[in-house]
Amino acid sequence: MERTLVTGGAGFLGSHLCDALLQEGHEVICMDNLITGSRDNLVHIDSDRFHFMRHDVTRRIDMKGPIDNVFHFASPASPVDYLEFSIQTMKVGSLGTHNALGVAKNKQARFMIASTSEIYGDPLEHPQKETYWGNVNTIGPRGVYDEAKRFSEAITMAYHRAHGIDTRIIRIFNTYGPRMRIKDGRAIPNFMFQALTGQDLTVYGDGSQTRSFCYVSDLIDGIVRLMRSGHHDPVNLGNPVEISLLEMAEKILQVTGSKSKIIFKPLPEDDPKVRQPDITQARNLLGWEPRVDLEEGLQATLDYFRTSIDAQKAEP
Ligand code: UDP
């Protein structure tokens, strides 16, 4: 049986990854300091192969016993969160990645870093291929996340080259689905919450900026495939179907059947104008293709948000 450490395992992606690994028969150690993750994302797990460790990955990690895989997924990931937790975001990407790589080196484990499309910044190449080096404002409000993740990629490659660690780098594009925090500030949770509670949908800027949204089960499938592959260079994972944020707001009004209005708010600083992954590499290397279309994914997400809003209302 493989023993696998998932940092950030109580987060949106981390918890889905824990589920997939348990499904694959791994023993899973889920590490999280719960600043943006939540035990609620783990309550459904009923397995004696699952262990939760409340620990801040930026502090020294002492793991007992063998470890076969380390997935370093800990980090605030919503722009609102990484503005609020700016120093923690920089620390988890730098010190945290260093510590997680240290575990991989010590245990001779495979290592995967959750990198991001944010390393491309406000891209001058469109769609973005892995060979594009990016256009990041280092000192802007998003710089804390972008540069921490760029550092993570660099130190991961350094450990691969210097110590021969079996590493993987995924660049994750916008992903959505159940277990996103309804108040995490990202577009889909915001629009759904607003639509379901009769508030205006807040489109930033004129809504012409684009993103490409991947449903969480597709992303997790790609992650598992990449870990099994022997590929060390970065791989984009995301759904290449690109949509403007105004269209997304309209779509959410449609799926929720809400009568809310759309209003426009100022565009946050350095908000990328376009984003779409080129997934040729993932297709060729991993035989991977996103399968869940936007309607289906939004419906499943809507069911989750409806339930979590009802649960919040029921709280005393
Ligand atoms: N956005 C928006 N309204 C919101 C939240 C976000 O129009 O209530 C926009 C945001 O400006 C960005 C896009 O939606 O252009 C995606 O933002 P998100 O925070 O989901 O993630 P990002 O891709 O910027 O990391």
Side-chain angles (χ1 to χ4, degrees):
M1 183 163 62
E2 292 190 55
R3 279 186 97 224
T4 299
L5 171 66
V6 180
T7 77
F12 163 49
L13 294 182
S15 66
H16 284 282
L17 179 59
C18 289
D19 287 345
L21 294 168
L22 288 167
Q23 192 75 32
E24 297 261 310
H26 292 222
E27 181 177 347
V28 176
I29 299 140
C30 164
M31 184 179 287
D32 208 297
N33 66 354
L34 302 178
I35 66 167
T36 57
S38 165
R39 293 293 292 251
D40 293 348
N41 292 334
L42 307 169
V43 285
H44 62 283
I45 299 177
D46 177 22
S47 167
D48 53 10
R49 287 183 284 111
F50 182 76
H51 316 278
F52 179 74
M53 242 176 109
R54 185 162 185 174
H55 183 75
D56 181 341
V57 68
T58 67
R59 296 174 188 272
R60 191 183 157 74
I61 309 170
D62 284 307
M63 298 295 300
K64 304 233 173 345
I67 298 284
D68 302 292
N69 308 284
V70 176
F71 289 87
H72 183 39
F73 274 59
S75 177
S78 156
V80 173
D81 287 337
Y82 54 71
L83 290 184
E84 182 181 353
F85 302 112
S86 53
I87 312 279
Q88 286 97 327
T89 300
M90 295 234 67
K91 283 173 73 177
V92 73
S94 54
L95 305 175
T97 308
H98 186 216
N99 285 343
L101 278 162
V103 174
K105 175 170 170 255
N106 183 13
K107 306 284 182 183
Q108 296 182 321
R110 257 176 250 125
F111 177 87
M112 181 185 283
I113 177 72
S115 184
T116 165
S117 54
E118 278 285 324
I119 67 110
Y120 300 122
D122 192 5
L124 304 176
E125 175 181 305
H126 190 67
Q128 294 78 51
K129 285 196 200 68
E130 289 89 346
T131 46
Y132 178 49
W133 289 354
N135 177 38
V136 170
N137 176 6
T138 56
I139 57 164
R142 301 172 82 104
V144 292
Y145 185 63
D146 304 8
E147 291 304 328
K149 291 292 188 181
R150 291 170 70 95
F151 175 90
S152 302
E153 291 198 6
I155 193 171
T156 298
M157 285 312 287
Y159 266 65
H160 172 64
R161 293 192 182 109
H163 297 305
I165 311 288
D166 191 8
T167 55
R168 312 278 184 279
I169 298 173
I170 37 162
R171 293 187 180 150
I172 302 173
F173 284 65
N174 294 67
T175 302
Y176 70 101
R179 301 189 205 151
M180 291 185 97
R181 274 157 40 234
I182 190 123
K183 301 234 168 98
D184 95 347
R186 283 184 277 195
I188 291 183
N190 269 8
F191 293 163
M192 286 230 170
F193 180 71
Q194 291 158 345
L196 290 173
T197 55
Q199 300 172 46
D200 296 337
L201 271 61
T202 52
V203 168
Y204 301 157
D206 62 5
S208 63
Q209 73 275 25
T210 67
R211 295 292 186 272
S212 309
F213 293 93
C214 184
Y215 188 65
V216 62
S217 59
D218 281 331
L219 187 90
I220 299 293
D221 172 40
I223 291 171
V224 171
R225 284 172 192 247
L226 179 61
M227 199 57 156
R228 285 198 202 115
S229 83
H231 195 73
H232 305 296
D233 290 333
V235 177
N236 288 338
L237 287 180
N239 190 318
V241 177
E242 188 182 7
I243 177 173
S244 77
L245 268 295
L246 183 56
E247 282 174 281
M248 177 55 90
E250 284 162 352
K251 219 163 204 59
I252 287 178
L253 286 180
Q254 207 181 27
V255 293
T256 54
S258 166
K259 300 210 167 30
S260 292
K261 291 196 308 287
I262 292 176
I263 57 165
F264 295 90
K265 295 252 175 150
L267 192 66
E269 202 179 329
D270 295 335
D271 197 286
K273 285 179 262 321
V274 288
R275 182 181 290 159
Q276 182 191 30
D278 180 318
I279 59 164
T280 311
Q281 269 218 96
R283 282 192 176 113
N284 294 343
L285 289 169
L286 314 175
W288 178 77
E289 188 76 41
R291 307 208 173 274
V292 180
D293 68 26
L294 197 55
E295 276 68 28
E296 196 187 332
L298 286 178
Q299 194 56 54
T301 310
L302 175 62
D303 294 344
Y304 171 81
F305 282 145
R306 273 215 171 100
T307 315
S308 58
I309 290 173
D310 289 347
Q312 272 178 16
K313 275 193 206 139
E315 271 173 20

